[in-house]
């Protein structure tokens, strides 16, 4: 079976090629036809630098770990041909102590597509067809839009950050940065019943956050952010800027919580650590998700989130270069989706 795939060959260079699916499907896997994929900030780091957070790609790879797909061949597993499934990209084997206690994000043996952290690398989902473990594919309610279901993985990551901060109904939450992950953190905190405020440099991004639950937005370049000092029970850092962590330290109340959702790239930036002590701030990190994938799928199935308001554009697999350029150039507000031709 011939199909179209995209391949990141160097920084900012994506090649489109025709490939052949293998004749045999691994016993634990099913064959899938891409429905919709979406571009993640992690993909952007690889696109810009051929590396992410200090992990360098050893050779060209297909990016993409946020996707849903149609079952092409169930290969003896409990799925029907043509069925839409959500894809959990974290492949675990249940052998490590972390995996056995449910912390799949901490599993040292996990494999992850489109990432330098898995060696040898596994191609991601920016391609028309692929095989993936059946245990990572989840049936969804009929009528769910694939363009919304592709948000399941990043929404799960955002929900994990919200849960790490133990966000409660009635709390005041500030989300710094209204990129895709900040928008989804807004969705997650709003779903918990919190009052959510956001910051960003773009008016369009603040408007998108308002469409998914934010009640107030602050323009970093125009508004006086000193009035936010000490006002929030929880601050979720989603901008990716190390400088934003200082803003979070200022905005969080005494004995409040900062949850770092963004994967801030290594850089020398002075941090006002004295505020951690003076305010007894709890700072937590957040990477991937644990049980939240099912929660994200359920939230999408519920139909209460305006995912169209946080969708920036749609491209085909053959247009992956242009899709990534749009994201990298900062012109997109929300998610950029990739679909088969």
């Amino acid at each position: 079976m011939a199909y179209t795939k995209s391949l990141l060959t160097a920084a900012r260079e994506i090649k489109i090629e025709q490939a052949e699916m293998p004749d045999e499907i691994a016993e634990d896997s099913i064959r899938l036809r891409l429905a919709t994929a979406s571009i993640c900030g992690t993909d952007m780091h690889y696109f810009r630098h051929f590396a992410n957070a200090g992990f360098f790609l050893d050779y060209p790879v297909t990016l993409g770990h946020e996707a849903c797909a149609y079952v092409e061949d169930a290969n003896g597993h409990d799925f029907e041909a043509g069925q839409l499934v959500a894809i959990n990209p974290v492949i675990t084997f249940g052998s490590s102590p972390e995996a056995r206690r449910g912390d799949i994000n901490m599993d040292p043996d996990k494999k992850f597509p489109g990432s330098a952290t898995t060696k040898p690398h596994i191609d991601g989902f920016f391609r028309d067809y692929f095989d993936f473990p059946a245990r990572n594919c989840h049936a969804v309610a009929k009528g769910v839009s694939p363009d919304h279901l592709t948000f399941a993985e990043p929404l799960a990551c955002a929900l994990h950050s919200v849960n790490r901060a133990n966000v409660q109904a009635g709390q005041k939450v500030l989300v710094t940065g209204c990129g895709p992950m900040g928008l989804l953190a807004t969705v997650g905190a709003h779903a918990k019943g919190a009052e959510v405020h956001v910051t960003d440099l773009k008016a369009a991004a603040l408007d998108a956050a308002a469409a998914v639950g934010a009640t107030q937005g602050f323009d970093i370049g125009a508004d006086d952010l000193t009035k936010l000092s000490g006002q929030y029970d929880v601050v979720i850092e989603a901008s990716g800027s190390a400088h934003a962590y200082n803003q979070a330290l200022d905005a969080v109340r005494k004995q409040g919580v900062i949850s770092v959702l963004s994967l801030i790239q290594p850089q020398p930036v002075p941090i006002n650590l004295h505020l951690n002590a003076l305010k007894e701030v709890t700072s937590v990190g957040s990477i991937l998700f644990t049980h939240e994938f099912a929660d994200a799928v359920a939230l999408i199935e519920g139909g209460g989130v305006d995912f169209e308001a946080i969708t920036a554009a749609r491209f085909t697999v053959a247009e992956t270069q242009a899709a990534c350029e749009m994201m990298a150039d900062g012109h997109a507000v929300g998610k950029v989706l990739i679909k088969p031709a």
Side-chain angles (χ1 to χ4, degrees):
M1 176 190 294
Y3 70 99
T4 302
K5 69 181 291 186
S6 63
L7 196 68
L8 181 70
T9 57
R12 297 191 86 113
E13 293 182 11
I14 291 178
K15 177 183 177 183
I16 304 300
E17 62 181 31
Q18 296 298 304
E20 289 283 338
M21 292 296 293
D23 293 332
E24 300 293 327
I25 305 172
E27 184 177 352
D28 70 340
S29 295
I30 61 176
R31 182 149 294 173
L32 298 165
R33 172 170 53 92
L34 178 67
T36 308
S38 52
I39 299 176
C40 175
T42 299
D43 298 320
M44 281 295 91
H45 289 303
Y46 285 122
F47 178 71
R48 290 189 183 100
H49 311 296
F50 214 61
N52 178 48
F55 293 94
F56 289 83
L57 290 168
D58 295 330
Y59 46 80
V61 70
T62 298
L63 295 175
H65 57 268
E66 304 173 356
C68 60
Y70 297 106
V71 176
E72 183 75 12
D73 186 336
N75 196 30
H77 296 278
D78 191 20
F79 294 98
E80 297 179 2
Q83 183 176 3
L84 180 66
V85 294
I87 304 170
N88 179 342
V90 183
I91 305 170
T92 62
F93 305 92
S95 54
S96 71
E98 294 88 348
R100 287 196 296 272
R101 68 174 182 250
D103 292 332
I104 61 171
N105 58 335
M106 295 289 108
D107 182 3
D109 302 323
K110 70 180 180 296
K111 297 184 182 298
F112 199 79
S115 171
T117 60
T118 295
K119 296 180 183 292
H121 310 325
I122 301 171
D123 275 340
F125 301 142
F126 295 165
R127 47 184 170 146
D128 286 345
Y129 287 90
F130 48 88
D131 296 342
F132 213 68
R135 66 183 181 275
N136 288 67
C137 299
H138 302 265
V140 298
K142 290 185 178 180
V144 173
S145 165
D147 287 5
H148 300 170
L149 189 59
T150 192
F151 283 82
E153 194 276 347
L155 179 55
C157 295
L159 290 174
H160 185 61
S161 182
V162 168
N163 287 340
R164 288 277 291 156
N166 194 29
V167 171
Q168 303 290 316
Q171 286 187 323
K172 287 186 66 176
V173 174
L174 179 68
V175 177
T176 55
C178 293
M181 292 312 298
L183 293 171
L184 292 173
T186 300
V187 170
H190 176 68
K192 292 282 188 180
E195 177 185 351
V196 187
H197 296 176
V198 295
T199 65
D200 203 89
L201 286 166
K202 299 177 184 175
L206 297 175
D207 290 341
V212 292
T215 58
Q216 197 163 358
F218 300 97
D219 184 329
I220 296 172
D223 291 328
D224 178 13
L225 299 186
T226 60
K227 63 186 178 183
L228 308 185
S229 183
Q231 296 299 304
Y232 295 95
D233 302 293
V234 173
V235 179
I236 298 176
E237 199 319 273
S239 73
S241 167
H243 297 283
Y245 191 80
N246 282 326
Q247 180 190 343
L249 282 168
D250 180 61
V252 73
R253 65 165 172 81
K254 292 180 179 179
Q255 296 184 327
V257 180
I258 297 172
S259 183
V260 181
L261 171 58
S262 62
L263 194 56
I264 300 173
Q265 300 300 293
Q267 55 190 293
V269 174
I271 300 297
N272 298 327
L273 289 174
H274 65 288
L275 293 178
N276 268 322
L278 294 176
K279 298 172 79 170
E280 290 195 345
V281 172
T282 298
S283 182
V284 296
S286 175
I287 188 71
L288 296 174
F289 49 85
T290 55
H291 65 277
E292 289 91 359
F293 190 84
D295 298 335
V297 171
L299 192 54
I300 293 166
E301 288 176 322
V305 179
D306 185 1
F307 288 106
E308 290 301 318
I310 55 175
T311 297
R314 293 169 172 84
F315 292 83
T316 66
V317 169
E319 298 170 325
T320 301
Q321 174 85 36
C324 289
E325 291 285 2
M326 181 181 183
M327 284 289 291
D329 292 346
H331 295 151
V333 173
K335 279 286 186 187
V336 171
L337 310 186
I338 292 184
K339 300 175 67 69

